[in-house]
């Protein structure tokens, strides 16, 4: 019985197209995929084995950690540290980059991850996910420093996410388009189910946390206000709104049917000295890479996210991503509001 193209088959076939490829990267990706399957299993059984709820600790950013945040982080670390493909790893849940223990061989790649994004949704059984970004370590780098991790998004060689929803899916890019795979639990393999994912350039669906409306900057207020005015407003069409509070689920929806997702800078974040809510290195950059590869756009409202020069591992940035024409409209509203003259048609 033919189950279709497995993810393992897909990445080996991709590797064969690269002359001189050693298989190291393929093997690393397989290890990441295995880690995601283990996390999917933990998330799936959470309520049955007593691992829902708070762990009673905080991460470096002062956010309460859930038990599953910590379990997922441990799964990623334990699944990847021994493989010999990595020079180091960094995670939303760890203060500093984690060196590879001396007893294991080191490799040429760096990985950054958010082991369980959207974890405020775990206890209410709403989709959560794992996001990862793979970079090359500098040549002959035995022990990568923090600076070695601080590479702009344009230097990513691969990015992906797993979404633990009604089905577990894995979505990947290594710079040649975006492909989606669905976990077939009967054989324990991810099967290519969404080849060449493309985000439509136009959309009539936006996602933003409306409870922050009074804190937003003028260009975001203007954009959302025009959407809400619908047929009677300047856009002349009705818009729909969604907010899952799980970035992986929002990006997945946008990759599937289009849309725009915004977590902009606002006065509330500024008052806390935060430059945004979402983290550049393991949320905005990998999602930016995936969205751009699917034909969409990803900006802070003022700059392309992938070109930002990172200044810290846990740096936060405003994020506006999705259908290209809508993202460009929001960027143009920022330009106008900041004093530029450019008008939107
Ligand atoms: P997390 O990494 O601590 O889970 O936070 C990131 C999440 C995103 O998935 C989501 O878009 C956002 O936080 C939701 O924020 P809010 O609760 O302010 O709506
Ligand atoms: Mg997160």
């Amino acid at each position: 019985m033919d189950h279709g193209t497995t993810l393992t088959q897909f990445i080996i076939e991709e590797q064969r197209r690269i002359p001189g490829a050693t298989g190291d990267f393929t093997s690393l990706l397989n290890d990441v995929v295995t880690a995601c399957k283990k996390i999917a299993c933990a998330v799936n059984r959470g309520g049955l084995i007593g691992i829902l709820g708070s762990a009673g600790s905080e991460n470096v950013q002062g956010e309460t950690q859930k038990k599953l945040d910590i379990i997922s982080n441990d799964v990623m670390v334990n699944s990847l540290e021994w493989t010999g493909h990595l020079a180091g790893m960094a995670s939303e849940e760890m203060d500093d980059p984690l060196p590879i223990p001396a007893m294991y061989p080191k490799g040429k790649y760096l990985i950054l991850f958010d082991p369980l994004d959207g974890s405020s949704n775990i206890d209410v059984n709403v989709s959560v996910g794992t996001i990862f970004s793979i970079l090359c370590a500098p040549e002959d780098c035995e022990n990568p420093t923090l600076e070695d991790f601080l590479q702009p998004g344009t230097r990513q060689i691969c990015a992906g996410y797993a979404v633990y929803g009604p089905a577990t899916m894995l979505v990947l890019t290594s710079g040649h388009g975006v492909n989606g795979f669905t976990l077939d639990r009967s054989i324990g393999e991810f099967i290519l189910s969404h080849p060449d994912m493309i985000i439509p350039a136009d959309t009539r669906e936006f996602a933003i946390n409306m409870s922050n409306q009074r804190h937003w900057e003028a260009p975001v207020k203007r954009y959302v206000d025009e959407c809400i005015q619908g047929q009677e407003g300047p856009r002349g069409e009705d818009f729909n709104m969604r907010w899952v509070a799980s970035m992986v689920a929002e990006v997945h929806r946008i990759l599937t049917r289009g849309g725009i997702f915004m977590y902009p800078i606002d006065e509330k974040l500024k008052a806390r000295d935060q430059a945004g809510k979402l983290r550049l290195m393991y949320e905005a950059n990998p999602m930016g890479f995936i969205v751009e590869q699917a034909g969409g756009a990803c900006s802070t409202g003022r700059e392309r996210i992938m070109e930002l020069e990172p200044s810290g591992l846990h740096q936060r940035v405003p994020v506006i991503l999705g259908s290209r024409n809508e993202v460009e409209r929001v960027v143009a509203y920022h330009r106008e509001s900041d004093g530029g003259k450019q008008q939107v048609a």
Side-chain angles (χ1 to χ4, degrees):
M1 183 179 166
D2 184 17
H3 286 271
T5 306
T6 67
L7 177 49
T8 314
Q9 233 177 311
F10 181 87
I11 49 187
I12 291 173
E13 276 165 19
E14 290 274 287
Q15 180 200 319
R16 286 191 186 136
R17 288 195 208 139
I18 306 166
T22 59
D24 255 14
F25 175 68
T26 302
S27 192
L28 169 62
L29 219 44
N30 267 322
D31 297 329
V32 174
V33 170
T34 304
C36 291
K37 283 188 205 168
K38 291 180 189 165
I39 298 172
C41 189
V43 168
N44 202 243
R45 300 185 62 218
L48 299 175
I49 52 178
I51 53 172
L52 296 184
S54 165
S57 53
E58 286 188 347
N59 65 14
V60 63
Q61 298 145 83
E63 295 159 341
T64 308
Q65 289 176 306
K66 301 275 187 183
K67 288 181 198 159
L68 270 168
D69 279 326
I70 296 174
I71 291 169
S72 306
N73 194 62
D74 289 350
V75 168
M76 289 296 276
V77 170
N78 295 336
S79 306
L80 299 176
E81 65 180 0
W82 61 274
T83 59
H85 305 306
L86 288 172
M89 44 187 141
S91 160
E92 171 174 328
E93 302 301 337
M94 302 188 290
D95 301 9
D96 302 307
L98 191 74
I100 300 301
M103 61 218 203
Y104 300 127
K106 296 201 178 68
K108 54 184 181 218
Y109 298 107
L110 301 172
I111 190 164
L112 299 101
F113 50 83
D114 180 351
L116 203 58
D117 183 64
S119 52
S120 69
N121 282 318
I122 296 170
D123 300 347
V124 291
N125 199 15
V126 168
S127 297
V128 289
T130 301
I131 312 172
F132 61 90
S133 162
I134 300 175
L135 299 164
C136 280
E139 292 257 318
D140 302 321
C141 157
E142 266 291 292
N143 290 304
T145 61
L146 171 61
E147 284 63 42
D148 294 331
F149 283 85
L150 301 183
Q151 304 180 30
T154 47
R155 303 255 297 268
Q156 294 172 101
I157 56 166
C158 176
Y161 65 80
V163 57
Y164 313 115
T168 290
M169 283 195 65
L170 208 128
V171 172
L172 272 185
T173 185
S174 47
H176 308 284
V178 179
N179 290 284
F181 304 81
T182 302
L183 183 61
D184 181 340
R185 287 182 192 273
S186 64
I187 54 166
E189 287 273 11
F190 281 100
I191 305 294
L192 180 62
S193 52
H194 294 62
D196 297 320
M197 298 176 90
I198 297 288
I199 300 175
D202 293 299
T203 181
R204 294 293 166 261
E205 195 162 74
F206 67 96
I208 193 164
N209 184 338
M210 287 293 293
S211 71
N212 294 322
Q213 185 172 25
R214 69 191 186 285
H215 307 295
W216 295 339
E217 292 185 337
V220 173
K221 275 190 181 146
R222 173 182 170 192
Y223 176 77
V224 173
D225 188 50
E226 289 179 0
C227 292
I228 289 172
Q229 287 180 56
Q231 278 193 354
E232 291 76 39
R235 303 295 304 270
E237 285 185 272
D238 288 339
F239 280 72
N240 193 10
M241 198 204 85
R242 288 285 181 273
W243 188 247
V244 188
S246 193
M247 188 194 198
V248 175
E250 321 273 7
V251 169
H252 194 69
R253 184 186 62 249
I254 289 170
L255 276 165
T256 311
R257 67 176 189 214
I260 181 169
F261 165 89
M262 292 173 280
Y263 214 118
I265 183 64
D266 65 31
E267 294 306 323
K268 191 169 87 181
L269 293 166
K270 284 186 207 166
R272 293 184 196 152
D273 276 336
Q274 289 183 8
K277 154 97 187 192
L278 300 172
R279 276 53 56 115
L280 174 62
M281 300 305 293
Y282 36 80
E283 290 172 334
N285 267 343
M287 290 309 200
F289 191 18
I290 293 167
V291 165
E292 286 192 6
Q293 281 294 316
C298 182
S299 168
T300 63
R302 296 180 167 94
E303 290 158 293
R304 182 182 168 216
I305 293 218
M306 294 264 283
E307 288 174 5
L308 295 175
E309 281 296 335
S311 58
L313 197 56
H314 301 288
Q315 177 182 355
R316 295 175 190 260
V317 288
V319 176
I320 293 157
L321 62 76
S323 293
R324 174 162 292 282
N325 291 341
E326 292 301 300
V327 174
E328 282 175 2
R329 177 178 286 271
V330 179
V331 169
Y333 287 3
H334 279 79
R335 260 198 307 267
E336 281 178 43
S337 163
D338 292 348
K341 292 279 171 271
Q342 197 148 342
Q343 295 294 317
V344 175

